[in-house]
């Protein structure tokens, strides 16, 4: 019975699921964006974001804890040197999932999962939106004499 067990098992046993999520996290850290199914991306977000959050504080204990999950020196080094500097002021939400449609073979929902601070196209749009600072009302002001009835 699965009473009150809410995470997706991805049709795999625990060891296989942990290996899958660790490998996907390593790929996400090294490549900044990966293409996968929607179910795997949602499971990866739950697995990867606490590890990315650990990288904010560069201590030996945090490095060892992240390495115990990932088992990749290159990924841990990249996470603590490059990614930690970009996410230092972000309070959470380090990944973004963008749906891309269905796969041809089995009609599975597919998506990109990426690190938020590494998408140059969206960062340019954000900067362009920040430069626009004026707020103008779209209401037209009618003359006061035209609105008031004449009192004779």
């Amino acid at each position: 019975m699965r009473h009150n067990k809410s995470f997706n098992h991805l049709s795999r046993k625990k060891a296989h699921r942990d290996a899958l999520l660790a490998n996907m996290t390593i790929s996400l850290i090294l490549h900044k964006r990966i293409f996968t199914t929607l179910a795997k991306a949602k499971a990866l977000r739950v697995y990867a974001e606490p590890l990315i959050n650990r990288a904010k504080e560069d201590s030996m204990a945090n490095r060892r804890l992240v390495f115990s999950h990932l088992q990749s020196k290159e990924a841990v080094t990249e996470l603590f040197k490059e990614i930690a500097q970009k996410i230092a002021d972000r309070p959470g939400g380090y990944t973004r999932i963008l749906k891309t449609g269905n796969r041809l073979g089995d009609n599975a929902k597919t998506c990109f999962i990426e690190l938020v601070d590494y998408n140059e196209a969206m960062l340019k749009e954000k900067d362009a939106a920040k430069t626009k600072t004026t707020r103008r009302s779209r209401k037209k002001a009618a003359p006061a004499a035209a609105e008031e009835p004449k009192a004779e």
Side-chain angles (χ1 to χ4, degrees):
M1 286 185 272
R2 58 169 307 278
H3 291 303
N4 206 19
K5 298 193 180 199
S6 60
F7 69 95
N8 193 345
H9 294 279
L10 299 174
S11 299
R12 288 163 172 83
K13 304 241 180 199
K14 179 164 179 23
H16 188 187
R17 189 170 55 247
D18 287 344
L20 171 83
L21 293 174
N23 285 331
M24 288 178 71
T25 304
I26 291 168
S27 296
L28 180 65
I29 290 170
L30 295 179
H31 301 294
K32 311 302 188 267
R33 173 191 285 184
I34 57 175
F35 183 75
T36 185
T37 63
L38 186 61
K40 286 180 187 174
K42 287 180 178 180
L44 177 63
R45 181 173 51 190
V46 172
Y47 185 86
E49 290 211 2
L51 296 178
I52 296 171
N53 197 25
R54 287 265 177 194
K56 284 183 173 182
E57 182 186 343
D58 190 4
S59 66
M60 186 60 68
N62 285 343
R63 281 184 178 262
R64 286 180 174 172
L65 194 142
V66 170
F67 183 75
S68 72
H69 285 277
L70 298 183
Q71 297 292 313
S72 171
K73 289 181 182 179
E74 295 85 16
V76 172
T77 303
E78 177 80 13
L79 178 63
F80 278 87
K81 285 191 176 176
E82 300 291 324
I83 297 173
Q85 292 175 355
K86 284 206 169 191
I87 63 157
D89 58 341
R90 183 176 290 276
Y94 310 115
T95 58
R96 176 186 298 126
I97 295 176
L98 299 169
K99 297 175 186 173
T100 58
N102 293 346
R103 196 160 49 196
L104 286 177
D106 59 354
N107 208 31
K109 294 179 182 177
T110 56
C111 65
F112 283 114
I113 182 168
E114 65 184 2
L115 295 175
V116 171
D117 294 323
Y118 283 91
N119 189 344
E120 289 82 16
M122 288 198 171
L123 290 176
K124 287 178 186 175
E125 291 174 9
K126 187 177 179 182
D127 291 340
K130 280 187 177 179
T131 58
K132 182 182 176 184
T133 58
T134 60
R135 288 184 62 178
R136 296 187 181 139
S137 176
R138 296 191 68 108
K139 289 189 263 179
K140 290 187 177 181
E147 290 181 3
E148 296 176 7
K150 291 184 178 179
E152 292 183 25

